[in-house]
Structure formats: C-alpha cells, structure tokens
Amino acid sequence: MKITNEIFYVGVNDHAIDLFEGQYKVPGGMAYNSYLIHDEKIAVMDSVEAHYGEEWLSNIQKVLGDRQPDYLIVQHMEPDHSANIVTFMENYPGAILVSSDKAFAMIKQFYHNEFSDRRVVIKDGDTLSLGKHVLTFVGAPMVHWPEVMVTYDAYDRVLFSADAFGKFGALDVDEPWEDEARRYYIGIVGKYGVQVQKLLARAKTLDIAMICPLHGPVLSEDLGKYISLYDVWSRYDVESEGIVIAYTSVYGNTKKAVQLLEQKLRNAGAAVTVHDLARCDKAVAVADAFRYGKLVLATTTYNADIFPFMREFIHELTERGYQNRTVGIIENGSWAPTAAKKIKAMLEGSKNLTILDPVVSLRSAMNEQSEEQLDALVAELVK
Ligand code: FEO
C-alpha cells in the first residue's frame, strides 16, 4: 500500500488477539504498523508483533523485489513493535539498526543482542539522510516508554508518531477513530499527559501533512481534529459535556438508586452514560470518566472498604492522573456504610476535583431520606 510516492505501508493486521497488552479487549483486532521509505537508501520503520514476522518480511519483499533495506529504525521497544528486530537483522545481514541508546539497552534485555557492529545510536535532533528523505529524530520519552523517538520526514512532511495517535482495531475494520483512539490513549498513555504535551509542542514546530502511527490508520486529512483531541486528552480537559455513572451493586439496591438517578438526570436534560463496573468493558468506563466532566461513583461498603470492582476502577483513574472533574458519591452499607469515606480518601491526591455534597447514603435500600439526598445531588450535577 502506497502512502506517498516513496513511503509504503508494510504492517500487518492481527485478528487472532483477544487482549492487547494482556488486558484491553480488542474485538476489532489490532494493526501493527510498519512503513518502508524507498529512496537512495531504504529504511523500514519498526517491526511487528511476534506472530507476524513472516507476513511482515513478505510485505517488505513485495515492495523491494531484489533490493535490500539499509536501515531498520526502531522508534519504540514494546514487543508489539520490536519482536521481529532479530528476524529482520538475520534476514538482511547488510542492514543497520538505528535507535536510541535506551532502546539498544532494551534490545539487549529482550533479545540478548546489542548489534554493536551494525548499529547507529541516535538522539533527539539527529538526522539520517536517505537521499531526498532526510529524517529528523525527536525524543518522545514516556509516549509511551522512555526510549521512544518519533521521526519527521521533511520531504513528504510525514510524522512517524510511534504509539501517539494510534488506536485499537485492525485496519480492515471500519469504525470511527475517536472512541477506540480515546480508549487506547487513556488506557495506555493517559498517565503521561505532561510528556504528550511536550511532544505536541514539538510537533507544532513541524510542517506536518500526514501522521503515520504504529497502530490505527494513517491520518492525512483534518489533522487539526486529531491534534486537538490529543491536546484535550493530555491536558486532562473535558472533551464532552455529560455525566458518567459508574456503579457496582451486590443485590440490586445500589443499582436501583443508580437507575433513579439516571432517570432524574435525563428528565433534567443531562447527557448520561452508565457503566456497571462488574460487567462493562472497564477500559471504556475509564475512558468515559476522562471524556466527560462529571462522574458519579455508586458502590457498596464491602469488608469495611469499597466493593472490589469500584476500588479497582478508582485506582485506574488516579494512576492515570484523573483531575479537573466533579464527582458525586452514592454509598450503600447495611450496618456501617464507609464507602464514601474510602472513595474520598482514594481521590485525595487527585488535582482539582470537586466532590459534591450531599453524599447519597443508603442503608441497604433507598428510602425517603436517601431520595431527598439523591434529588439534591441531581440539582448539583445539572447546575
Ligand atoms: Fe504499541 Fe507502546 O506499543
């Protein structure tokens, strides 16, 4: 597949995978993107996941015919991209490996080979000339690992963006970019907003016509839309107006409170999204909590703590830097409700959160008093 006259797509689709990175459901599969720049010198950008080495080499060979690649450029060492480095280097004994010193240390850790006599170590700002295409390497530490470099080709005005601007889903699956890109970004890179902001600031200095990420489609139109979403996500700003209710319920009483809350909020004209944390795709619930500005956490007290799915969910939020949001709480407890206190303690370190009053406190089931609290919470949420 031609990306430009001299840049070719040589990546692969994976429909056999069930969990990406061992945890993210990917019903639409994954794409492990790799690109080939065909100039006086030939460079391949990144390898692919372990099971797809043969298909990848075959894609490269189809483009090259009898020619041999001169360079394999490794932007990111996570195994979904690095697993076939050794296969490539064995298949093309004349090729040189180009990567950062941090990446070479990881190549040794993962694959027990440093390629010390066949390598070029690059750092931020270094360039590599292939002929017309002069590549500039830009350090992008923690987007998403510390060794990450992205690469700018001034000739075709292409940014090879590593994991940034990627999404879940194979390339032969037709689906809107935003939802799976958000779930991917928040889940995988969400903790590193500051570092993404630094990369976006560098990207602003470049004239970019096309973004070639390591997952998901090549982005060539309306780049402002994608860059602006990345800006919102990495600043932890609110993307959409609305309220997310995330809940757990053991015998259905907390669920009834949630259903009543949902109905009252809808009646008040609010946009509401509800997630049952024991059953939903947690990664979608986490992404939604970051997408919207308001979140209600409804859960039972359990072993004098919070019900496990809710505890895990809040941890997933706080470890990704959850901030700048409004949070309402519904707790339930038959003899000693403590969930609200525990939730507040878990959120204590999060920046710029407004915890709404009142907490809705259920003793086993809704009653007149808790419904009054619920009405007061609705009033706060729709203010
Ligand atoms: Fe797609 Fe961080 O690897």
Side-chain angles (χ1 to χ4, degrees):
M1 183 169 78
K2 257 189 167 185
I3 306 288
T4 70
N5 279 339
E6 284 130 12
I7 299 177
F8 295 82
Y9 182 84
V10 291
V12 298
N13 285 323
D14 179 355
H15 283 290
I17 187 170
D18 59 346
L19 295 176
F20 182 67
E21 286 193 356
Q23 59 171 321
Y24 297 101
K25 291 173 190 165
V26 280
M30 276 308 284
Y32 312 115
N33 296 342
S34 170
Y35 305 92
L36 186 152
I37 307 171
H38 199 295
D39 202 339
E40 288 164 30
K41 298 279 186 187
I42 291 164
V44 175
M45 309 291 300
D46 296 289
S47 88
V48 296
E49 200 264 354
H51 297 89
Y52 294 89
E54 226 171 275
E55 186 180 337
W56 175 57
L57 290 179
S58 157
N59 291 347
I60 292 170
Q61 208 255 321
K62 276 181 207 153
V63 176
L64 288 185
D66 293 336
R67 284 193 68 181
Q68 304 276 301
D70 297 280
Y71 301 110
L72 174 61
I73 296 170
V74 174
Q75 302 183 106
H76 182 20
M77 272 304 295
E78 196 166 5
D80 51 329
H81 311 293
S82 70
N84 277 293
I85 290 174
V86 174
T87 314
F88 180 96
M89 295 301 276
E90 286 172 356
N91 201 62
Y92 296 113
I96 303 286
L97 201 49
V98 179
S99 199
S100 64
D101 56 352
K102 279 200 175 80
F104 278 112
M106 289 184 184
I107 290 172
K108 189 178 179 193
Q109 286 173 198
F110 275 113
Y111 309 115
H112 316 296
N113 196 337
E114 285 182 284
F115 297 98
S116 24
D117 55 345
R118 296 174 60 190
R119 72 182 191 185
V120 174
V121 181
I122 43 155
K123 58 182 188 318
D124 182 78
D126 282 355
T127 58
L128 177 71
S129 175
L130 305 175
K132 288 184 292 187
H133 297 258
V134 178
L135 306 179
T136 303
F137 301 105
V138 176
M142 302 320 296
V143 186
H144 129 247
W145 279 15
E147 84 296 359
V148 171
M149 290 259 181
V150 301
T151 307
Y152 179 66
D153 171 22
Y155 182 76
D156 273 332
R157 298 188 294 141
V158 170
L159 178 69
F160 296 95
S161 62
D163 272 347
F165 298 100
K167 70 179 270 297
F168 294 126
L171 296 189
D172 53 2
V173 171
D174 188 18
E175 60 188 1
W177 187 86
E178 283 86 344
D179 286 347
E180 284 300 73
R182 184 189 306 104
R183 190 168 71 95
Y184 171 91
Y185 172 84
I186 299 295
I188 290 174
V189 195
K191 178 180 173 64
Y192 304 109
V194 171
Q195 291 84 350
V196 173
Q197 279 288 305
K198 282 185 186 159
L199 178 59
L200 290 177
R202 293 287 293 277
K204 260 191 198 156
T205 67
L206 304 170
D207 178 14
I208 300 170
M210 195 179 289
I211 296 174
C212 290
L214 287 177
H215 302 288
V218 169
L219 306 174
S220 57
E221 283 170 18
D222 207 4
L223 294 189
K225 179 182 91 175
Y226 304 107
I227 290 169
S228 146
L229 276 172
Y230 254 64
D231 187 39
V232 167
W233 295 339
S234 56
R235 280 191 287 109
Y236 303 93
D237 273 357
V238 174
E239 179 191 341
S240 311
E241 284 305 316
I243 301 159
V244 179
I245 308 174
Y247 77 96
T248 64
S249 189
V250 183
Y251 291 107
N253 289 302
T254 309
K255 184 176 181 175
K256 274 185 192 157
V258 164
Q259 287 169 331
L260 190 58
L261 174 66
E262 180 187 6
Q263 185 197 326
K264 286 173 186 281
L265 287 170
R266 289 195 195 284
N267 290 347
V272 187
T273 305
V274 180
H275 293 288
D276 173 353
L277 296 177
R279 294 175 177 83
C280 69
D281 179 347
K282 186 164 40 76
V284 176
V286 170
D288 274 349
F290 281 88
R291 175 179 181 178
Y292 295 100
K294 292 173 183 176
L295 173 66
V296 177
L297 302 169
T299 193
T300 39
T301 302
Y302 195 80
N303 288 335
D305 204 313
I306 311 170
F307 200 69
F309 294 107
M310 179 59 80
R311 167 163 283 285
E312 194 189 330
F313 177 67
I314 296 170
H315 179 70
E316 297 244 1
L317 299 184
T318 54
E319 72 175 353
R320 286 171 176 76
Y322 187 71
Q323 55 190 273
N324 304 332
R325 300 290 189 277
T326 297
V327 178
I329 299 172
I330 300 174
E331 67 171 357
N332 198 347
S334 291
W335 61 93
T338 54
K341 193 172 145 198
K342 297 283 180 182
I343 288 173
K344 284 178 184 172
M346 283 189 82
L347 293 174
E348 222 162 44
S350 299
K351 280 192 281 183
N352 196 22
L353 290 190
T354 305
I355 310 285
L356 293 176
D357 268 333
V359 164
V360 179
S361 193
L362 275 66
R363 287 283 180 142
S364 306
M366 288 287 295
N367 61 17
E368 214 171 284
Q369 190 187 359
S370 47
E371 185 157 353
E372 275 171 23
Q373 291 169 342
L374 200 73
D375 285 332
L377 179 61
V378 169
E380 288 297 318
L381 285 166
V382 300
K383 244 184 197 172

